[in-house]
Amino acid sequence: MEYKKNDCVTMAIEDIGSNGEGIGKVDGFAFFVKDAVIGDVVEARVMKAKKSYAYAKLMRVITPSPQRAQPECGVHMQCGGCQIQALAYASQLTFKYNKVRNNLLRIGGFSEALLDEVSEPIVGMEYPYRYRNKAQFPFGRNKAGETVTGFYAGRTHAIIPNTDCMLGVEENKEILERILLYMRESGSTPYCEEDGSGLIRHVLIRKGFSSGELMVCLIINGDRLPREDMLVETLCAVKGMTSISVNTNTERTNVIMGARCRTLWGRDAITDTIHMRTPEEIDSGRDTLPGEAAEGITFSISPLSFYQVNPIQTEKLYSLALAYAGLTGEEIVWDLYCGIGTISLFLAKHAKHVYGVEVIEQAIRDARENAGRNGIDNATFYVGKAEEVLPRLYETENIRADVICVDPPRKGCDEACLATMVKMAPQRIVYVSCDSATLARDLKYLCENGYELKRMRAVDMFPGTVHVEVVCCLQRASKADQEIRL
Ligand code: SAH
């Protein structure tokens, strides 16, 4: 059977793809249907047909799946932010657990038996909404020419108007409405991507979950805003407002932030504290965890800093990384891809010395400052690429490590970095990953070079989306074990 555009088909959805789409078959021909849920029977219209499969658009759910949930967001289908909000949360967690497992089986070459032995249950959230501490909303015009803000639709830059994203904090709505009103009253125009005209491009809003502090940074195509006093007056009335700034970005680019920030009101940065969590707290399934009493590290976060977006799950993730590191206070630890030193400083309190490596210079400046702020004097930070800094220091200064922690971006670790890690022969490697495909590739390398996968746990940092974070513990095989393998 050949299909062509606009053909209508009815099918049962039997599987879920890695981007969260439903997959159904008609006589062996596969259809990928966005927003269809495994277990649904749906009617879909073909959008793009290939030889053996087609992409189709969900037209009607004929029989809803028992795994369907009522999404809390009204625009979840149009908006590109979430892919699987219509999937019940327990099923989202199963999907993510299986995604990690399948990558480790297929790409990593690990056996079912080993994965059964080392996998711990995925750490989910109690309430899988309102978890993001950071949002960046674009401004533009609707068909009637009115200024709107919201999120981009999937794969395009059409703005789906929405001031109350359900993943973000409740304060976003009030802040966005105040900014839209200010824009109307001051005559400030939204930026237009097509011709580079207009002034206001995006707004970055951040909230320190434990401090309650709010930051607003308007990203503008210029240096100044009309009536800055009016903007400040309306925004500083929002409860918790701590920092109001503008960031200049006059480039014709998709990159949101420019390099220069100017504070209009309040402080240049907000603070937030990340607490250590006990195994009982991690397993409790609770989101509301004690603040003051728990041991924590306080960070200063400026508009340009990288900071994990889900602070509730970040505490659990970092605490797992700390537990997997197995520190007694005597260890030399390397933290590669360390950002502003979040994991490094977490580990430093329990290690002899921590060395961090990160490619962005400003992040390293922040890391050093954060160490000082928390009275940590046993952490040293290097700027540069992990795959260059580590081999160089290994050759010239004969550095060593008892534990190495890595938390690379989606593309994973460079082989030169992995090779030096193997030469340094730490007892344990803790691998934190936001992409289980590159994680599987890197674990395969490490396990072919003297390490054994001991523990692994996925953490759901991004409910409603298909993304999943994983933390693994690898142990150096004993000499005898290594010889047997050779
Ligand atoms: N561990 C930190 C940051 C993780 S994000 C945290 O949890 O907050 C990954 C970091 O790796 C980013 O800060 C990015 O700037 C950095 N990075 C990307 N490529 C790198 C490379 N080749 N060498 C070192 N750092 C790199």
Side-chain angles (χ1 to χ4, degrees):
M1 177 80 188
E2 288 229 348
Y3 290 93
K4 55 185 188 315
K5 197 174 155 112
N6 289 329
D7 282 349
C8 271
V9 275
T10 298
M11 75 196 98
I13 301 296
E14 286 162 356
D15 206 352
I16 178 166
S18 59
N19 296 315
E21 69 281 29
I23 304 174
K25 282 191 174 160
V26 179
D27 298 331
F29 190 95
F31 292 89
F32 293 86
V33 190
K34 185 178 159 299
D35 300 314
V37 167
I38 187 164
D40 282 344
V41 176
V42 303
E43 188 180 295
R45 199 169 75 206
V46 174
M47 305 305 288
K48 196 170 170 186
K50 304 263 185 185
K51 273 234 154 57
S52 60
Y53 65 93
Y55 295 97
K57 186 177 163 155
L58 178 64
M59 301 307 287
R60 192 162 66 95
V61 179
I62 299 168
T63 317
S65 161
Q67 293 185 55
R68 238 179 206 284
Q70 184 58 42
E72 294 205 9
C73 170
V75 295
H76 73 100
M77 280 171 76
Q78 299 96 304
C79 176
C82 289
Q83 301 84 34
I84 51 172
Q85 243 192 59
L87 189 63
Y89 189 56
S91 301
Q92 290 187 23
L93 292 176
T94 307
F95 161 70
K96 293 185 188 196
Y97 179 89
N98 288 336
K99 181 170 165 168
V100 173
R101 190 181 170 96
N102 286 336
N103 278 333
L104 288 177
L105 279 171
R106 292 197 195 125
I107 304 171
F110 293 95
S111 68
E112 299 259 5
L114 179 84
L115 293 177
D116 285 342
E117 191 185 314
V118 302
S119 303
E120 296 169 60
I122 182 167
V123 183
M125 292 195 81
E126 183 180 350
Y127 177 61
Y129 289 99
R130 300 273 183 221
Y131 58 81
R132 284 188 69 102
N133 61 7
K134 167 184 159 179
Q136 296 174 118
F137 297 90
F139 290 91
R141 289 187 197 276
N142 64 13
K143 289 216 172 75
E146 295 152 344
T147 299
V148 291
T149 186
F151 274 101
Y152 292 133
R155 291 194 211 91
T156 79
H157 274 194
I159 296 176
I160 307 297
N162 178 17
T163 53
D164 193 19
C165 168
M166 284 303 298
L167 302 194
V169 296
E170 279 168 358
E171 289 91 336
N172 287 342
K173 185 168 193 282
E174 181 182 358
I175 292 169
L176 292 173
E177 281 166 4
R178 283 173 183 266
I179 294 172
L180 287 171
L181 186 65
Y182 152 79
M183 287 176 74
R184 279 201 295 279
E185 290 183 348
S186 66
S188 304
T189 50
Y191 178 72
C192 170
E193 278 189 319
E194 282 81 48
D195 63 10
S197 69
L199 185 61
I200 302 188
R201 299 173 73 123
H202 276 85
V203 60
L204 163 77
I205 306 174
R206 264 184 163 153
K207 181 177 179 183
F209 273 36
S210 78
S211 66
E213 295 173 359
L214 282 168
M215 160 184 285
V216 174
C217 177
L218 279 184
I219 296 103
I220 61 175
N221 180 31
D223 290 314
R224 298 197 63 81
L225 287 164
R227 296 296 310 269
E228 285 178 352
D229 58 316
M230 198 199 256
L231 177 73
V232 165
E233 194 187 317
T234 180
L235 288 182
C236 70
V238 178
K239 188 166 172 275
M241 191 57 63
T242 302
S243 168
I244 304 172
S245 59
V246 288
N247 171 274
T248 296
N249 183 1
T250 54
E251 305 285 318
R252 298 285 290 273
T253 164
N254 275 343
V255 177
I256 295 179
M257 307 277 290
R260 243 177 321 131
C261 285
R262 177 167 58 92
T263 303
L264 300 180
W265 180 88
R267 300 209 307 259
D268 298 339
I270 57 170
T271 59
D272 198 24
T273 304
I274 298 182
H275 303 93
M276 275 162 211
R277 295 304 172 191
T278 61
E280 294 74 37
E281 285 173 328
I282 295 169
D283 289 327
S284 70
R286 301 296 303 271
D287 293 341
T288 320
L289 297 164
E292 296 291 293
E295 182 181 346
I297 305 215
T298 300
F299 295 91
S300 168
I301 310 151
S302 68
L304 290 165
S305 312
F306 173 88
Y307 187 64
Q308 293 283 0
V309 299
N310 181 335
I312 296 160
Q313 296 297 84
T314 295
E315 293 191 334
K316 299 175 190 168
L317 178 75
Y318 289 176
S319 299
L320 282 169
L322 179 63
Y324 284 10
L327 302 179
T328 62
E330 293 305 312
E331 293 80 5
I332 302 290
V333 180
W334 282 77
D335 178 25
L336 310 178
Y337 312 87
C338 70
I340 60 170
T342 25
I343 297 179
S344 326
L345 299 181
F346 230 66
L347 301 178
K349 289 204 167 180
H350 300 267
K352 187 166 177 193
H353 203 98
V354 175
Y355 298 89
V357 182
E358 158 66 44
V359 73
I360 295 178
E361 200 176 334
Q362 179 59 45
I364 288 295
R365 259 183 258 139
D366 291 344
R368 290 180 181 138
E369 222 181 281
N370 286 325
R373 177 172 295 109
N374 291 282
I376 291 172
D377 57 10
N378 60 337
T380 309
F381 294 96
Y382 297 94
V383 183
K385 290 187 175 169
E387 62 272 24
E388 291 170 10
V389 171
L390 205 65
R392 195 180 66 228
L393 292 175
Y394 181 73
E395 295 303 328
T396 59
E397 295 183 25
N398 197 22
I399 51 167
R400 51 172 291 273
D402 298 302
V403 176
I404 298 181
C405 177
V406 300
D407 182 8
R410 283 192 200 162
K411 69 171 195 275
C413 296
D414 194 283
E415 201 169 312
C417 177
L418 294 174
T420 308
M421 285 164 61
V422 167
K423 282 193 215 155
M424 287 170 76
Q427 276 309 311
R428 282 178 295 288
I429 295 174
V430 177
Y431 196 131
V432 180
S433 161
C434 57
D435 184 322
S436 55
T438 57
L439 169 74
R441 178 200 67 199
D442 292 351
L443 291 188
K444 182 166 196 265
Y445 179 96
L446 292 169
C447 291
E448 283 166 357
N449 286 280
Y451 284 84
E452 285 171 355
L453 181 59
K454 288 291 181 193
R455 296 177 74 178
M456 177 176 95
R457 192 155 195 186
V459 178
D460 189 20
M461 303 275 273
F462 315 103
T465 79
V466 293
H467 303 291
V468 56
E469 200 87 8
V470 194
V471 52
C472 298
C473 174
L474 294 125
Q475 179 116 33
R476 202 165 121 80
S478 66
K479 267 260 153 54
D481 289 345
Q482 286 192 31
E483 273 157 19
I484 292 167
R485 220 175 296 145
L486 288 173

